[in-house]
Amino acid sequence: MSREPKGYVPLSRSEYDTLKHQLSKLLFTEHAPVIIPGEAILGIEAVAAGISAPGRTILNVVTGPYGSLFGKWLERGGATVAQVAVPFDEVITAEAILAAIKKHKPCALSFVQAEVVTGGSNPAREILKIARDFDLITVMDSVSAVGGEALPVDEWGVDFAAIGAQKALAGPNGVSAVSVSLRGWEFLESNPHAPRNSILSLLDLKPDGNGTAPVRVPPNIPALEARALISALTLVEEEGLERVIRRHELAAASAIAGIRALGLVPWQKDSRFYSTLTTTVRISGKPGLLIDQPVGIVAPGDGELFGQLLRINHFGANACRPSVEEAVRTLARLLSQEPEHAIAAVSQVWGDEVDR
């Protein structure tokens, strides 16, 4: 009995259209995001390469390591980078943004929406409102925030929003997207230094302006990862985006309650700006917390933050009570404490809400 050989099947046109529709719906935008054939850092670097040029001053906010990296990419492209930075246990304030804009008079503003490395979440809505008041092009790294926080791209007037699926969306990291507004495309096209015929070229991926569908699916989109992203976004739609965000909010609030019950202090100073994706724990004076490898969803700090904080990575499938409870048990064990009182604090936050 003969059998047809099975192997790689290219992404179909129907699958490609489904993915574009899902991404547009996720971001509340009328404009189909550009699908990036790789991890989200590729899309972020492509934005930097596309908008930077000599003669352009871009205000770049640094509240974590990715903001710093983005600024270096802008400088590489010849832009004058006006940097506004805060310690990594803080987020930027709207007042600091306003003052920097008045001082440097930039044409664009870039910042990270949610910092999973530091556990802080910048006040995106307020920042974008100020940027619109000054008619600035806006760039937002929302790789971690999407699915864990609100991200209505059109309503907020975001010109470039880079997203990934491997955090709150519980999807793959081998394909990502960049949402680009009409103003964003004009800003790219007005830059003679924007890459072309390059993996960093967003202009090469621009949809046809007259609405005509492409003749074929771009061949560089990884089919397996694209299908995995379709599956992940389908699960988000079935659960409901509001519910997904609510799970992340509860996970963050319960993690904070749990660590405080253990006598620990959040790394981020201002409770108004805790990330819904990760809870970061200050480990000064707690030698038992000096781990060098992840234990479940409890992980050591990255880079320069190693030895200063621990992260509870309660995003995606781990934005649930059992995962937070297990993380709190891990911390209690590292501190040689009994966990029951901290687990009770976690449960109290969740109340009668049911996990997915």
Side-chain angles (χ1 to χ4, degrees), residues 40-343:
I41 196 70
L42 175 59
I44 298 170
E45 185 173 358
V47 173
I51 68 172
S52 59
R56 286 182 171 180
T57 297
I58 299 176
L59 182 63
N60 183 54
V61 178
V62 178
T63 52
Y66 287 104
S68 178
L69 182 60
F70 192 79
K72 292 176 182 177
W73 286 333
L74 292 172
E75 289 177 341
R76 183 182 64 190
T80 298
V81 178
Q83 184 166 288
V84 53
V86 298
F88 287 178
D89 56 359
E90 300 176 16
V91 300
I92 199 67
T93 65
E95 292 77 15
I97 292 290
L98 180 59
I101 291 173
K102 290 181 177 179
K103 177 180 179 180
H104 298 288
K105 297 178 173 54
C107 63
L109 164 70
S110 58
F111 68 100
V112 175
Q113 183 176 359
E115 299 274 10
V116 293
V117 176
T118 69
S121 183
N122 287 303
R125 185 194 298 266
E126 291 81 359
I127 293 171
L128 293 165
K129 170 63 168 60
I130 293 169
R132 287 199 305 272
D133 290 343
F134 286 85
D135 198 31
L136 303 185
I137 292 292
T138 52
V139 178
M140 195 158 67
D141 174 349
S142 298
V143 173
S144 300
V146 63
E149 298 184 7
L151 183 52
V153 165
D154 287 358
E155 177 186 336
W156 283 0
V158 187
D159 294 305
F160 298 90
I163 66 166
Q166 68 268 34
K167 296 294 194 302
L169 298 176
N173 66 353
V175 65
S176 52
V178 176
S179 174
V180 186
S181 71
L182 295 179
R183 286 198 339 146
W185 286 120
E186 292 172 357
F187 196 63
L188 287 170
E189 291 169 336
S190 67
N191 180 11
H193 298 272
R196 298 304 302 258
N197 301 314
S198 165
I199 193 65
L200 294 179
S201 175
L202 290 176
L203 288 173
D204 290 345
L205 301 175
K206 182 184 178 184
D208 193 316
N210 62 14
T212 302
V215 175
R216 61 176 181 153
V217 176
N220 62 348
I221 295 178
L224 298 181
E225 287 82 356
R227 291 186 180 111
L229 180 52
I230 290 171
S231 295
L233 294 178
T234 298
L235 290 175
V236 170
E237 290 175 351
E238 290 174 352
E239 182 178 359
L241 180 58
E242 288 186 2
R243 175 60 190 164
V244 174
I245 293 174
R246 177 60 178 162
R247 275 197 295 110
H248 284 81
E249 292 171 345
L250 286 168
S254 62
I256 290 292
I259 68 169
R260 284 181 167 152
L262 293 171
L264 297 173
V265 178
W267 168 259
Q268 283 290 324
K269 293 179 178 178
D270 194 331
S271 61
R272 295 175 299 168
F273 303 110
Y274 291 159
S275 167
T276 63
L277 285 296
T278 59
T279 292
T280 42
V281 183
R282 194 174 295 270
I283 64 176
S284 176
K286 305 287 184 180
L289 300 183
L290 289 171
I291 61 175
D292 58 9
Q293 295 292 328
V295 183
I297 64 170
V298 177
D302 289 343
E304 64 190 272
L305 295 174
F306 180 81
Q308 297 189 58
L309 61 79
L310 287 185
R311 284 182 9 209
I312 303 176
N313 294 321
H314 45 66
F315 50 72
N318 288 311
C320 62
R321 178 161 37 185
S323 291
V324 175
E325 289 178 346
E326 184 57 33
V328 169
R329 287 191 182 94
T330 295
L331 293 175
R333 186 167 59 252
L334 292 172
L335 294 167
S336 300
Q337 292 187 29
E338 294 298 324
E340 284 73 17
H341 65 296
I343 297 299

